Amino acid sequence: MQALDDTRAILRDLIAFPTISTDSNLAMIDFLGERLAAAGARVEIHRDATGAKANLFATIGPEREGGILLSGHSDVVPVADQDWTTDPFTMVERDGRLYGRGTCDMKGFIAAAVAMAPLYAERAVERPVHFAFTHDEETGCLGAQALAQILRARGARPAVAIIGEPTSMRVIEGHKGCFEYSTHFTGLEGHGSGPDRGVNAVEYAVRYVARLLELKEALKARAPKGSRFDPPWTTINTGALVGGVAHNVIPGKARVDWEMRPVQAGDADFVKADLHAYCAHTLLPAMRAVMPDADIVTETIGEVEGLVPADGNEARAIVMELTGANGADTVPFGTEAGIFQALGMSAVVCGPGSIEQAHKPDEYLALDQLAECLTMLQRLAGKLGG
Ligand SMILES: [Zn+2]
């Protein structure tokens, strides 16, 4: 199969770019841009504020709404402290598998999509096909969020998004979001013998955590009917509570690290509004009665939207038809799909390889998975009207 040989060759080149999230991805993005431009795509490269990272957005076919977006992240997780049998940045083929960092998560899908570009250039007469290759997915979907801002501002937006994260080519229509925060408490230090003369930051942090526990219960009652997630409701986890120095000192600082995993958009707002009111009306007035500068500040570490299973999901219908799947599932890991869904696109996750192999030493992609992905992408050409 010519397409498989082409894809394998592109993937070999992609694996050789060590695009760990902490490092630049520009060389790989330029490489992809040149490949796509050679096939006739209109290529845009958008750098981030540091200038060291970039997103690629490219279009083949007419400049109009309703296109199909193939999306993948260019970054990979680190290899330090992992015991690899071979060099992670040199692709090695063995026993029907392609080994290397990023083979399954998720340069295999990117290589397959780029290998299809010449075919799409022939066939995309009615419906455009777009490519989005992003930076910093592994560190909070930063690239996709930046790309979403750009897409939001333009008229001709894609209608359907296929995110090729490794799902063993299963069609995935839902995953929870992941919202992470650190809440910082600033009180007033003092001697432990006079608790009322200080503002005990740890005690206020504990009251905040108690409120999180109440919200955790309240969220269970808000679980949408027929929710397909496990567990079916939005969860909250308190991951760390840090503060204090010694038995006899009133702690002036404390921090709570916590996360929530929303199953629906309204839940995050519900939690935030409740916490805001609780701090403004209960905790802060008590703290500031002793110390006017006392404060509670919540730092957002990341807010990655979930992918909400939707009725009449065109992306699901298309990908189920292309893969011959007779159903769609949910997964417990996050992707960029929710960000595209929040822009009004229908979105599914479907890509080659297993999430089991992602992020591990000796990460690999089975060639038969790659072949299945290519079959799907080849059939997709039939949806472009040519
Ligand atoms: Zn990934």
Side-chain angles (χ1 to χ4, degrees):
M1 188 174 166
Q2 183 60 41
L4 187 57
D5 291 338
D6 292 347
T7 303
R8 193 200 267 116
I10 296 169
L11 183 53
R12 184 179 304 282
D13 288 335
L14 296 185
I15 296 304
F17 294 106
T19 51
I20 296 168
S21 309
T22 47
D23 303 331
S24 174
N25 72 341
L26 294 181
M28 176 169 145
I29 289 293
D30 285 343
F31 170 86
L32 291 168
E34 281 166 24
R35 291 287 309 214
L36 289 170
R42 300 183 291 285
V43 177
E44 303 167 26
I45 292 176
H46 301 279
R47 292 203 186 195
D48 76 347
T50 71
K53 308 276 183 74
N55 289 321
L56 178 152
F57 184 79
T59 303
I60 289 176
E63 196 62 43
R64 70 166 68 131
E65 285 194 34
I68 297 174
L69 174 73
L70 302 175
S71 167
H73 60 81
S74 64
D75 57 323
V76 296
V77 294
V79 294
D81 304 321
Q82 288 191 340
D83 194 13
W84 281 73
T85 311
T86 55
D87 175 8
F89 298 109
T90 303
M91 191 174 85
V92 174
E93 184 170 344
R94 190 162 16 100
D95 304 326
R97 293 169 172 179
L98 303 171
Y99 287 87
R101 171 56 85 227
T103 45
C104 98
D105 186 16
M106 57 181 289
K107 293 178 174 178
F109 178 81
I110 293 176
V114 170
M116 287 293 114
L119 174 67
Y120 295 153
E122 281 171 28
R123 306 287 293 278
V125 179
E126 296 289 327
R127 192 165 199 183
V129 58
H130 308 274
F131 302 81
F133 302 139
T134 57
H135 64 85
D136 287 306
E137 188 271 347
E138 300 289 2
T139 50
C141 294
L142 306 179
Q145 316 235 37
L147 183 62
Q149 296 296 334
I150 291 166
L151 293 180
R152 185 171 281 125
R154 69 174 67 185
R157 260 191 255 158
V160 166
I162 302 170
I163 293 86
E165 289 277 2
T167 67
S168 305
M169 292 305 294
R170 288 183 308 140
V171 183
I172 302 302
E173 61 170 334
H175 59 72
K176 293 185 183 184
C178 187
F179 289 28
E180 296 182 329
Y181 307 96
S182 289
T183 302
H184 302 268
F185 298 80
T186 305
L188 176 64
E189 281 202 352
H191 195 277
S193 61
D196 295 341
R197 286 199 288 274
V199 176
N200 191 316
V202 168
E203 291 179 0
Y204 282 99
V206 166
R207 291 176 67 181
Y208 189 86
V209 171
R211 190 72 174 191
L212 289 177
L213 292 174
E214 284 171 28
L215 285 166
K216 194 174 162 182
E217 286 305 309
L219 286 166
K220 290 183 183 175
R222 290 173 57 94
K225 264 206 181 64
S227 170
R228 306 201 9 231
F229 294 107
D230 175 27
W233 46 78
T234 295
T235 56
I236 289 182
N237 179 57
T238 302
L241 196 166
V242 185
V245 285
H247 298 77
N248 59 351
V249 179
I250 299 168
K253 299 241 179 249
R255 189 186 84 232
V256 176
D257 294 339
W258 60 283
E259 59 147 43
M260 62 177 148
R261 298 191 176 230
V263 297
Q264 54 193 349
D267 281 356
D269 291 338
F270 164 75
V271 169
K272 286 189 205 177
D274 181 276
L275 290 170
H276 182 79
Y278 182 61
C279 290
H281 303 310
T282 306
L283 298 185
L284 283 170
M287 293 166 83
R288 286 176 178 165
V290 179
M291 163 70 174
D293 290 340
D295 211 354
I296 303 172
V297 175
T298 293
E299 174 194 1
T300 301
I301 306 300
E303 291 186 337
V304 180
E305 284 106 334
L307 176 63
V308 182
D311 294 332
N313 181 335
E314 190 193 3
R316 181 182 60 192
I318 289 177
V319 179
M320 277 177 61
E321 183 192 327
L322 298 179
T323 60
N326 47 22
D329 275 318
T330 62
V331 284
F333 56 89
T335 75
E336 299 174 332
I339 295 170
F340 293 118
Q341 186 181 49
L343 272 183
M345 298 180 212
S346 73
V348 286
V349 188
C350 180
S354 165
I355 196 72
E356 288 299 311
Q357 273 92 51
H359 300 196
K360 291 192 180 145
D362 292 340
E363 175 180 345
Y364 70 84
L365 175 61
L367 276 166
D368 55 0
Q369 279 286 306
L370 197 52
E372 243 186 82
C373 177
L374 282 166
T375 302
M376 170 184 82
L377 292 174
Q378 266 166 341
R379 288 179 182 157
L380 182 67
K383 297 279 173 196
L384 307 175

